[in-house]
Amino acid sequence: QVQLVESGGGLVQPGGSLRLSCAASGSISRIDVMGWYRQAPGKQRELAATITSAGYTNYADSVKGRFTISRDNAKNTLYLQMSSLKAEDTAVYYCNWRRPGTVQNTWGQGTQVTVSS
């Protein structure tokens, strides 16, 4: 079973930057999709960004131009570089792995990001 472990969350001031990391336990298939989702208190979990093993990316409108998703396939690690952070970015951020066309889907434990002065 694939396991994901996030790190890098914390407290940052508005306008600041933070980089999240997600370490995967095993190799990722060429068709697999990984992504970052976030969930604020009282709100549903929402997509922030996704990336395929080939490097194709997709971003939510709310983070486009501020967040950058990337991956290091050799290290089985996913990253989310967050810049120009806003208070509304405050949420628990979850790493996700899924294999299209199958029921295989797993989540990390989440890492808290708090944007506040």
Side-chain angles (χ1 to χ4, degrees):
Q1 183 177 7
V2 172
Q3 290 185 307
L4 307 172
V5 180
E6 300 102 328
S7 62
L11 175 65
V12 63
Q13 294 184 341
S17 299
L18 205 62
R19 188 176 78 159
L20 306 182
S21 299
C22 171
S25 64
S27 298
I28 301 173
S29 170
R30 62 183 294 274
I31 68 170
D32 289 348
V33 178
M34 297 188 72
W36 290 97
Y37 293 72
R38 63 186 187 179
Q39 187 169 21
K43 299 179 65 178
Q44 293 188 359
R45 189 174 300 183
E46 65 178 8
L47 181 147
T50 61
I51 187 169
T52 69
S53 295
Y56 186 87
T57 59
N58 186 44
Y59 296 91
D61 289 341
S62 58
V63 308
K64 194 173 299 181
R66 300 187 299 116
F67 291 9
T68 301
I69 188 170
S70 61
R71 81 281 177 269
D72 187 330
N73 290 334
K75 297 181 178 179
N76 282 344
T77 302
L78 180 73
Y79 302 97
L80 184 67
Q81 177 65 51
M82 305 182 292
S83 301
S84 301
L85 284 163
K86 307 173 181 179
E88 51 263 43
D89 294 319
T90 296
V92 177
Y93 284 71
Y94 297 91
C95 180
N96 171 259
W97 170 89
R98 66 181 175 90
R99 182 161 293 169
T102 75
V103 297
Q104 293 176 278
N105 187 11
T106 193
W107 299 88
Q109 83 286 356
T111 185
Q112 177 71 47
V113 173
T114 302
V115 184
S116 177
S117 59

